[in-house]
Amino acid sequence: MAHGRGSIDSAALESPVCIVGGTGALGFGLALRLAQAGVPVVIGSRDEGRAQEAARRGADRLPGATIRGAQNADAVQGCEIVILSVPFRNQSENLTNLKNVLQPDQLLVDATVPLAAAVSGKATRTLGVWQGSAAQQAQEMAPDGVRVVSALHTVSAALLSDLDHRLAEDVLVCGDVKADKQKLSSLIERIDGLRAIDCGPLEMARIVEQLTPLIISINVRHKVRAGIKITGL
Amino acid sequence: MAHGRGSIDSAALESPVCIVGGTGALGFGLALRLAQAGVPVVIGSRDEGRAQEAARRGADRLPGATIRGAQNADAVQGCEIVILSVPFRNQSENLTNLKNVLQPDQLLVDATVPLAAAVSGKATRTLGVWQGSAAQQAQEMAPDGVRVVSALHTVSAALLSDLDHRLAEDVLVCGDVKADKQKLSSLIERIDGLRAIDCGPLEMARIVEQLTPLIISINVRHKVRAGIKITGL
């Protein structure tokens, strides 16, 4: 289905998707694209005012879309899928704050990348995470019963936000439960031009998270906004 | 330029390319594709007889191609580009054996991947290499003046060897000297359907080498022979 700027698929009566960190570049771009595809979106932020301001900006660009903003702890309520899209330096704090809020039936999608930029290092380098990856750290910190899927590390925030840009790339998905990955993949593929690819168990996030600095290195060198596509599928 | 099975571009009077480990699956596939593109190829092996046997197999499939086999130390003589295509468990030994053989004007292309399979682990996992990557280990072990470029981790050996298969994927190249990367990229792009992409300095091999286990995981899961393509370029 082709979308013109600002057009929206008919919003079904479905569970909204929460984007914790939806005021950031990647989170906001995702919010726009999902809302455009007719998915109700809740933008979460530590600051309620900023969340609502971002939701207003989204609604301005997509009249008729279902986007609202709320403080993170409220934003996640009733959302089957919660996407965590925050800088690595804030991931642990966010997960601590959500510890008593996330419910066992919720799927937590971790999009965190442990860039060395978190400690003033280069964005083409990463930090070692004790658990192996940011996603595995998320799994360790998530309340019992909340399952974690890792995804959305390689799609350009700028291209997501540019609704005139036709996406044509893959989203690599890692997780330990097939049904969870399928659920997220169905959501991702509602965005025109994105294909979700199951890359294996959550531990593969160790590798997939490294693709962000690789793409940043390619972007800097070639002055592009690169993405990944898997051939042969 | 389209190639039919067995057709060869006119072999120029050019420096041959040596493939250390050219009897292995990836090395042999590369040898075939390069020879088909008209590049003179020397297949190197620790065992001269195996090298010559592989060269014969190649020549049988590509009548008119320039492929010969030799023991590694002889094979590298006079080759501007030496591709090291060996399992990680043999990389260090091979580099030790080449220490007094490689010359400062030669370009060493490291295609080694530190798969955990080297120590009976999974092929979807890697070992930590003290220097950061197999390529950086190669740079440390190479004689003074020999520069290392890292590449060719994601192209399927089986698809390279299947000359009827039309390749359509990227080869990610890392190295500290732009001219070296350009030299290798020109060689790689003589193979129909391969595009070489400069991914930054040699340290980026830490990431690019991880793409092999990622692709193995995708291959196992989806029963394909996957490769990588960078979008947006």
Side-chain angles (χ1 to χ4, degrees):
Chain A
M1 217 178 322
H3 293 286
R5 181 178 204 140
S7 74
I8 301 153
D9 284 358
S10 58
L13 285 174
E14 62 180 294
S15 164
V17 168
C18 174
I19 303 178
V20 173
T23 57
L26 177 67
F28 185 67
L30 275 172
L32 283 180
R33 292 279 180 169
L34 288 171
Q36 185 180 45
V39 179
V41 172
V42 187
I43 290 179
S45 170
R46 281 174 296 183
D47 182 288
E48 189 181 358
R50 290 189 57 219
Q52 289 177 345
E53 188 277 326
R56 263 193 303 275
R57 269 190 296 133
D60 284 349
R61 291 182 60 185
L62 291 165
T66 307
I67 312 180
R68 61 184 178 86
Q71 204 276 336
N72 285 328
D74 296 325
V76 303
Q77 306 288 339
C79 296
E80 280 181 41
I81 298 181
V82 175
I83 299 175
L84 182 63
S85 173
V86 297
F88 180 62
R89 75 159 70 77
N90 304 123
Q91 188 208 26
S92 163
E93 179 194 344
N94 270 281
L95 288 167
T96 300
N97 293 342
L98 292 173
K99 217 162 182 71
N100 298 314
V101 181
L102 289 172
Q103 297 299 317
D105 57 338
Q106 289 181 302
L107 183 62
L108 181 65
V109 181
D110 184 70
T112 313
V113 178
L115 295 181
V119 292
S120 309
K122 292 187 181 185
T124 54
R125 293 175 172 173
T126 54
L127 299 171
V129 179
W130 189 274
Q131 297 87 340
S133 62
Q136 289 167 292
Q137 174 160 283
Q139 181 68 81
E140 185 182 274
M141 294 189 70
D144 285 352
V146 171
R147 289 182 309 270
V148 172
V149 172
S150 169
L152 295 161
H153 313 88
T154 60
V155 184
S156 154
L159 295 184
L160 284 173
S161 294
D162 174 5
L163 296 177
D164 290 329
H165 175 79
R166 290 183 73 87
L167 298 166
E169 55 190 275
D170 293 338
V171 172
L172 307 186
V173 177
C174 309
D176 291 335
V177 180
K178 202 162 189 174
D180 295 338
K181 290 185 279 191
Q182 285 169 339
K183 188 172 188 171
L184 175 63
S185 297
S186 298
L187 179 73
I188 287 168
E189 294 190 345
R190 288 179 66 175
I191 299 176
D192 270 347
L194 293 187
R195 178 177 66 166
I197 295 182
D198 180 356
C199 290
L202 197 66
E203 67 171 40
M204 297 305 287
R206 295 180 188 220
I207 297 177
V208 176
E209 290 173 6
Q210 307 294 319
L211 295 182
T212 308
L214 177 66
I215 283 178
I216 290 170
S217 180
I218 291 172
N219 286 352
V220 168
R221 208 153 292 269
H222 302 272
K223 313 212 184 315
V224 294
R225 287 187 171 128
I228 289 278
K229 211 160 171 68
I230 302 295
T231 64
L233 285 171
Chain B
M1 217 177 323
H3 294 285
R5 180 177 205 143
S7 74
I8 300 153
D9 285 356
S10 59
L13 286 172
E14 61 179 298
S15 165
V17 169
C18 174
I19 304 177
V20 173
T23 57
L26 178 67
F28 186 68
L30 275 173
L32 283 180
R33 292 280 181 168
L34 288 171
Q36 185 182 44
V39 179
V41 172
V42 187
I43 289 179
S45 171
R46 280 174 298 184
D47 182 289
E48 189 181 357
R50 290 190 58 219
Q52 290 176 346
E53 187 276 325
R56 263 194 303 277
R57 267 192 295 135
D60 283 351
R61 290 183 60 184
L62 291 166
T66 306
I67 312 182
R68 62 185 178 82
Q71 203 277 335
N72 284 329
D74 295 326
V76 302
Q77 306 288 338
C79 296
E80 280 181 41
I81 298 180
V82 175
I83 299 174
L84 183 62
S85 172
V86 297
F88 180 62
R89 74 159 69 78
N90 304 123
Q91 188 208 25
S92 163
E93 180 194 346
N94 270 279
L95 288 168
T96 300
N97 293 343
L98 292 173
K99 217 163 181 69
N100 299 314
V101 181
L102 288 172
Q103 299 299 317
D105 57 337
Q106 289 181 303
L107 183 63
L108 182 64
V109 181
D110 185 68
T112 313
V113 178
L115 295 181
V119 292
S120 308
K122 292 187 181 186
T124 53
R125 293 175 173 174
T126 54
L127 299 171
V129 179
W130 189 274
Q131 296 87 340
S133 62
Q136 288 167 292
Q137 173 159 283
Q139 181 68 82
E140 185 184 274
M141 295 189 71
D144 285 351
V146 172
R147 289 182 309 271
V148 172
V149 172
S150 169
L152 294 162
H153 313 88
T154 58
V155 185
S156 154
L159 295 184
L160 284 173
S161 293
D162 175 6
L163 297 176
D164 290 329
H165 175 80
R166 291 183 73 88
L167 297 166
E169 57 188 273
D170 292 338
V171 172
L172 307 186
V173 177
C174 309
D176 292 333
V177 181
K178 202 161 187 173
D180 295 339
K181 289 185 277 191
Q182 284 169 341
K183 188 173 188 170
L184 175 63
S185 296
S186 297
L187 179 74
I188 287 167
E189 294 190 346
R190 287 178 67 175
I191 300 176
D192 270 348
L194 292 188
R195 178 177 65 165
I197 296 183
D198 181 354
C199 290
L202 196 66
E203 67 172 40
M204 297 304 289
R206 296 181 188 217
I207 297 176
V208 176
E209 290 174 5
Q210 308 292 321
L211 295 182
T212 309
L214 177 66
I215 283 178
I216 290 170
S217 180
I218 291 172
N219 285 352
V220 166
R221 207 153 291 271
H222 301 273
K223 313 212 184 316
V224 294
R225 287 185 171 129
I228 291 277
K229 211 158 170 70
I230 302 296
T231 63
L233 287 169

